[in-house]
Amino acid sequence: MALRDELLKSIWHAFTALDVDKSGKVSKSQLKVLSHNLCTVMNIPHDPVALEEHFKDDDEGPVSNQGYMPYLNKFILDKVKDNFNRQDFNKMCWTLSYRKNLEQNELKICNDDAFKIWCIFNFLSEDRYPLIVVTEEIEYFLRKLTEAMGGSWVEERFEDYKLQLNSKQQCLNAWELISLVGSGHFSKGMDHQTLSMGIGEVYQELILDVLKQGYMMKKGHKRKNWTERWFVLKPNTISYYVGEDLAEKKGDVLLDGNCSVEHLQDKEGKKCLFLIKSSQKSFEISASDKKKKQEWIQAVQNCVTLLRQGRPAPHREARQKRRELRLKQQAEQEELELRMRELQIANEAKQHELENMRKALEEAAANAAEEEKRRLQTQTELQDRYRRDLEREKLVRQQIEKNLAEKSTELEQYLQRVHELEDMYRQLEHALEDERRARQDEEIIRKLQTRLLEEEAKKRAELEQIHLQQKQAISVTVAEKEELEKERLAKESALQAAMKQLEQLELERQGALEQYETVKKKLETATNNTKTWKHKVAEHEGLLRLIQPGAKGQQNITNWGPAAFSEAELSLREKQWQETKNQAT
C-alpha cells in the first residue's frame, strides 16, 4: 500500500468525525484546524492562505469531502515525505475521531489498546470508502490476537459469529471491530493484561513492522564488553535498546541485500554466538539458547532475502495476496453470476420457446382435429351425395328399361304393321316417288339419330371417365385431399355441363322422333294413294324388283327404336370407345 493511501484512511476518519450532523460536509474553520494539525504532524510548512484561496469561489456553506480532496492532495499529500512519526500522525487522527464514535465504558480495553486496534483496522481495511474490514481479515486479526495471547483458536466460535455477521452484513467498520475485541467475546479466560499484551504484539507486527524482538547479548565495538540489549528486527533495520520499553535507543543495524549472517563458535564464555555483517559494521551477538539463535538467524536471513528481491514485509505481502485473491474470487463470482444470469435468461427464453411450441402444438392438434372433423363430414356428405346419385341413376336405368320394354312392344307392333305394309306394297307404285323421298328423309333422320347416339356414347364415356376419376380422388392421401377437392369441383362442373348437353341431346332426339312421326304420316298418306298391287305388278312385271322384307334375324334396338347401323358397325364403335377410354385412363 502506498504512503498516500495509508495516510488517507486516517484522514478520512478525522474528516468524518468533524461531520457532526452526518451531512457529508465540514465547515471551513474545522478544515483549517485539521489542515494545520496535519501539516504540523507531518512536518509540512503550513500555508493558511492556501485554504482560503482554494475555496474562495465556493459559497459560505461547509465543504464536502470531494471538495476538500483537491486541496488535501495539492497542498499536503503532494508535499509529504516519509520523515515524520506515523504514530503521532495516527494519534492525532485518532484523537479527532474516537470521542464521537467510541463508548469506552462498555469495553474491557484501555484507550491505547483501542487506538492500536484502530490502526490495525486501517491496515486491514479495503481500499474503498466508507472503510470496512471483510470477514476474512477479521478472522486473520483474531487468529493473530489469539496466538499472541497464547490461547488456542476456536473455529466453531468464529463460525457462529460469522453466521451472525452474515445475517446482518459481511463486514465491520473500525468502531465495530474495536467493540468486538473490547467485548472479550474471543478472549474468554484471559485477563485484561494478557489481552493488552496480545493487542500490542499484533500492533507491533502489522503496524510497526516488527518481525522479531527479544533480549540478547551484544559485544561492544570499542570496549569489547558484552551488554544485554533489547533487539527489534524490522524489514530493513535491527534496532537495539537499553530495555523493552524502548525508552533509550542505543543504535541500529542497517540491513540491505549485501548483509549476511554467520554462525560463530563459542568463545569468551559466551554460547550461541552468531555474526551479522552489514555494509558498515559487523555485530557479534549471543542468544540465550540454540533455539533463539536459530530463530534470529533465520529471521535476519529472511529479511535480507526480501531486500534482495525487492519484496515487502511478509505480513504486507500476505495482505496483498489476500486482497488479490479476493479480487480474483470477486471477479470470478461476478463472472459466474453473469454466466448464471445469461443461462437464466437463455433458460427463460428456452422455456418461453417451449411454451410457444407447446401452444403451437396444441393449436395444431386442435386444428388437425377440426380439419379431420371437417374432412369426415365432407366425406360423409360426398358418400351421401354419391349414394343419392347412384339411386337416381338406378331409377333412371329402371325407367330406361321400362321405356325399352315399351319400345319393344311398339317394335313388335311396328313389325306387324310392316308385314301389313308388305302386303300393301303393290299398292304403292303410284306413290313411289313420294315414298323414295320419304325414305330419303327417313335416312337423314336415321343419320341424325346415329350422330346423336355417337355423341351420347361419347358423353357417357366422358361421364364414366369422370366417375372413375372421382373414385380415384376418394382414395388419395390426406395431404392431397385439398387439391383433389378442387379437381372434383371442376369435374363436377364438367359433369353438370355434360348433363346439360345430354339434356340438349334428349331434346334433339325428341325433335327427331317428331320428324319421324311426320315422315310416317307422309308414308301412310302415300300408301292410301297407291293403286292395287296386282295391277302394278302386271303392268311393270320384269321392270321392277319388289321390295322384299329383310332378314328375320335379330335387329339392333336403341332407346328410340330400331337402330340405323349394323352389328359390325356397332362392334367397331365399341372398339373405338374402348380405345378412347384406355387413353383417358
Side-chain angles (χ1 to χ4, degrees), residues 511-529:
L513 286 175
E514 292 176 359
Q515 292 179 6
Y516 177 74
E517 292 293 333
T518 303
V519 172
K520 184 178 177 182
K521 290 179 180 180
K522 288 181 180 180
L523 184 60
E524 291 176 356
T525 304
T527 303
N528 293 329
N529 294 330

Side-chain angles (χ1 to χ4, degrees), residues 377-503:
Q377 184 178 0
T378 304
Q379 185 177 2
T380 305
E381 293 176 354
L382 288 175
Q383 289 177 352
D384 294 340
R385 185 183 302 172
Y386 291 149
R387 185 169 58 254
R388 290 194 298 270
D389 292 343
L390 289 175
E391 291 176 356
R392 191 182 302 111
E393 185 178 355
K394 183 178 180 181
L395 293 175
V396 172
R397 186 170 63 251
Q398 291 175 356
Q399 185 66 30
I400 291 174
E401 290 176 354
K402 182 178 179 182
N403 293 336
L404 286 175
E406 293 176 357
K407 292 296 181 182
S408 298
T409 304
E410 292 178 359
L411 181 60
E412 291 176 357
Q413 295 175 0
Y414 176 73
L415 290 176
Q416 185 178 359
R417 190 177 298 173
V418 169
H419 288 300
E420 293 175 358
L421 288 175
E422 287 177 354
D423 295 337
M424 299 172 62
Y425 180 71
R426 294 175 181 84
Q427 301 175 9
L428 299 177
E429 290 183 72
H430 293 293
L432 185 60
E433 291 296 328
D434 294 336
E435 184 181 5
R436 185 180 292 112
R437 285 194 295 271
R439 288 190 178 279
Q440 288 177 353
D441 293 338
E442 183 182 3
E443 185 66 25
I444 291 172
I445 295 303
R446 289 183 182 279
K447 289 181 180 180
L448 178 60
Q449 289 178 348
T450 302
R451 182 177 60 81
L452 292 174
L453 288 173
E454 290 177 353
E455 291 180 356
E456 181 183 3
K458 184 176 180 182
K459 294 299 180 181
R460 285 185 177 277
E462 292 178 356
L463 289 174
E464 290 180 0
Q465 182 66 25
I466 293 171
H467 187 63
L468 290 174
Q469 291 177 355
Q470 288 177 344
K471 287 183 177 181
Q472 294 174 358
I474 296 175
S475 61
V476 295
T477 59
V478 177
E480 298 175 348
K481 284 186 178 180
E482 294 183 359
E483 182 178 358
L484 292 177
E485 180 68 18
K486 297 180 181 179
E487 293 180 1
R488 186 187 63 77
L489 294 175
K491 289 176 181 179
E492 284 185 356
S493 301
L495 179 60
Q496 293 176 0
M499 293 294 291
K500 291 181 180 179
Q501 292 181 3
L502 187 59
E503 292 175 358

Side-chain angles (χ1 to χ4, degrees), residues 7 33 99 110 162 190 235 254 276 374 383 412 573:
L7 300 178
V33 176
R99 297 181 185 277
C110 62
K162 190 161 62 173
M190 302 288 182
L254 299 180
I276 300 177
R374 289 198 297 268
Q383 289 177 352
E412 291 176 357
R573 289 176 182 177

Side-chain angles (χ1 to χ4, degrees), residues 368-378:
E370 185 68 22
E371 183 65 24
E372 183 66 16
K373 184 178 179 181
R374 289 198 297 268
R375 185 188 65 79
L376 292 175
Q377 184 178 0
T378 304

Side-chain angles (χ1 to χ4, degrees), residues 57-277:
D57 296 330
D58 290 358
D59 54 13
E60 296 299 328
V63 179
S64 65
N65 187 20
Q66 291 79 7
Y68 182 61
M69 280 300 297
Y71 170 81
L72 181 65
N73 288 324
K74 181 178 180 182
F75 293 98
I76 298 178
L77 296 181
D78 288 348
K79 299 178 180 180
V80 70
K81 297 180 181 179
D82 196 8
N83 60 349
F84 63 95
N85 191 325
R86 294 193 189 180
Q87 190 169 0
D88 294 341
F89 167 78
N90 289 329
K91 278 285 187 181
M92 186 272 295
C93 295
W94 161 259
T95 303
L96 291 176
S97 59
Y98 87 92
R99 297 181 185 277
K100 176 184 176 182
N101 299 285
L102 188 63
E103 295 181 2
Q104 288 186 320
N105 296 332
E106 300 177 358
L107 300 181
K108 299 180 181 179
I109 56 176
C110 62
N111 183 64
D112 186 59
D113 292 336
F115 163 72
K116 293 176 180 178
I117 296 174
W118 180 80
C119 294
I120 294 172
F121 169 84
N122 291 339
F123 175 77
L124 297 177
S125 62
E126 301 297 302
D127 292 334
R128 61 177 183 268
Y129 296 90
L131 295 176
I132 57 166
V133 60
V134 297
T135 309
E136 181 184 0
E137 299 296 338
I138 297 173
E139 181 179 3
Y140 170 79
F141 168 60
L142 293 177
R143 280 180 180 272
K144 282 277 188 184
L145 180 59
T146 304
E147 293 174 0
M149 291 187 298
S152 58
W153 175 251
V154 182
E155 187 71 30
E156 293 77 8
R157 185 182 300 173
F158 183 76
E159 290 297 328
D160 294 340
Y161 174 75
K162 190 161 62 173
L163 291 176
Q164 298 175 5
L165 188 64
N166 290 338
S167 62
K168 301 178 181 178
Q169 56 187 3
Q170 297 182 351
C171 55
L172 296 177
N173 59 29
W175 316 112
E176 292 172 341
L177 181 62
I178 294 172
S179 299
L180 174 64
V181 177
S183 64
H185 181 72
F186 289 94
S187 59
K188 292 180 179 180
M190 302 288 182
D191 55 18
H192 294 177
Q193 184 178 2
T194 304
L195 177 60
S196 178
M197 290 177 62
I199 295 173
E201 184 174 338
V202 177
Y203 172 79
Q204 288 181 354
E205 178 182 354
L206 300 182
I207 306 303
L208 301 181
D209 293 337
V210 176
L211 304 180
K212 191 170 181 59
Q213 56 185 346
Y215 280 107
M216 291 189 296
M217 302 295 292
K218 171 185 169 297
K219 185 178 181 179
H221 289 87
K222 296 181 179 180
R223 299 172 58 184
K224 305 299 181 180
N225 58 335
W226 290 89
T227 309
E228 186 180 46
R229 298 294 184 219
W230 177 262
F231 285 83
V232 177
L233 174 63
K234 294 185 179 182
N236 55 358
T237 59
I238 301 177
S239 301
Y240 49 95
Y241 302 83
V242 173
E244 56 184 299
D245 56 358
L246 308 182
E248 183 179 354
K249 185 177 182 180
K250 302 300 292 184
D252 293 315
V253 180
L254 299 180
L255 301 179
D256 54 28
N258 298 321
C259 293
S260 62
V261 184
E262 298 178 359
H263 292 272
L264 295 178
Q265 297 295 328
D266 297 341
K267 62 178 181 178
E268 300 177 5
K270 298 298 179 181
K271 299 181 179 180
C272 304
L273 297 176
F274 61 94
L275 177 67
I276 300 177
K277 290 183 177 181

